[in-house]
Amino acid sequence: MKQGALMRKIKASVFAFIVSIAGTAAFADMSITFQWGDIPLCTSGRPNTVSNPDFTIRNIPDGADQLQFRLVDLDVPTFNHGGGRVRLAVGSSDVRVAPGAFRYSSPCPPNGSHRYQWTVTAKSGRQTLETATATRDYPE
């Protein structure tokens, strides 16, 4: 292979690599973090109806107009803890959802600590755009 052709091939490969890195950095996955907050301690197996935890959601996909939240006790996944829905301003990328946005059945393991998982789904109308999860013990 001639030196000029080899250099063009190397340059094209380097350019493709840089474009692929830039594309990945610009489109990070949606993520969620949360703190249980001031919910009453519950270990009786009979949950309270409480305000949502303090959530931070990052990298919400373009076009999302709502977030749907759902809580699952990973130790008793058949129990319905519920969740809620929060409307978004179009173009929101990172948001904090403060307590009081919706109500749900609190974590309330009857024996010791359980693992709980919040799932957040970014939607545009009825279309699911992306989903993220975060897991914590309760009580911690």
Side-chain angles (χ1 to χ4, degrees):
M1 183 179 281
K2 293 183 181 178
Q3 188 175 6
L6 178 61
M7 287 305 292
R8 281 191 298 278
K9 191 171 187 173
I10 291 171
K11 286 179 182 179
S13 296
V14 169
F15 178 77
F17 176 74
I18 290 171
V19 167
S20 72
I21 290 175
T24 351
F27 300 105
D29 290 338
M30 185 172 75
S31 65
I32 170 181
T33 57
F34 73 95
Q35 299 296 321
W36 289 119
D38 294 331
I39 61 174
L41 180 63
C42 184
T43 55
S44 66
R46 292 185 299 276
N48 300 298
T49 300
V50 296
S51 288
N52 59 281
D54 193 352
F55 292 104
T56 300
I57 300 93
R58 299 199 187 286
N59 301 315
I60 298 168
D62 288 341
D65 60 8
Q66 63 183 300
L67 298 172
Q68 289 183 331
F69 295 81
R70 179 144 180 80
L71 179 65
V72 172
D73 179 342
L74 296 177
D75 296 302
V76 186
T78 56
F79 186 87
N80 182 9
H81 282 276
R85 182 181 305 205
V86 174
R87 292 245 171 246
L88 291 174
V90 175
S92 299
S93 174
D94 298 343
V95 298
R96 176 180 176 238
V97 178
F102 62 88
R103 298 182 68 71
Y104 73 104
S105 295
S106 71
C108 193
N111 301 317
S113 182
H114 281 194
R115 302 272 306 150
Y116 289 86
Q117 183 177 69
W118 278 102
T119 299
V120 176
T121 304
K123 299 191 101 176
S124 175
R126 293 180 183 217
Q127 180 185 6
T128 296
L129 301 178
E130 194 167 349
T131 300
T133 60
T135 304
R136 292 185 87 109
D137 289 345
Y138 181 90
E140 292 182 288

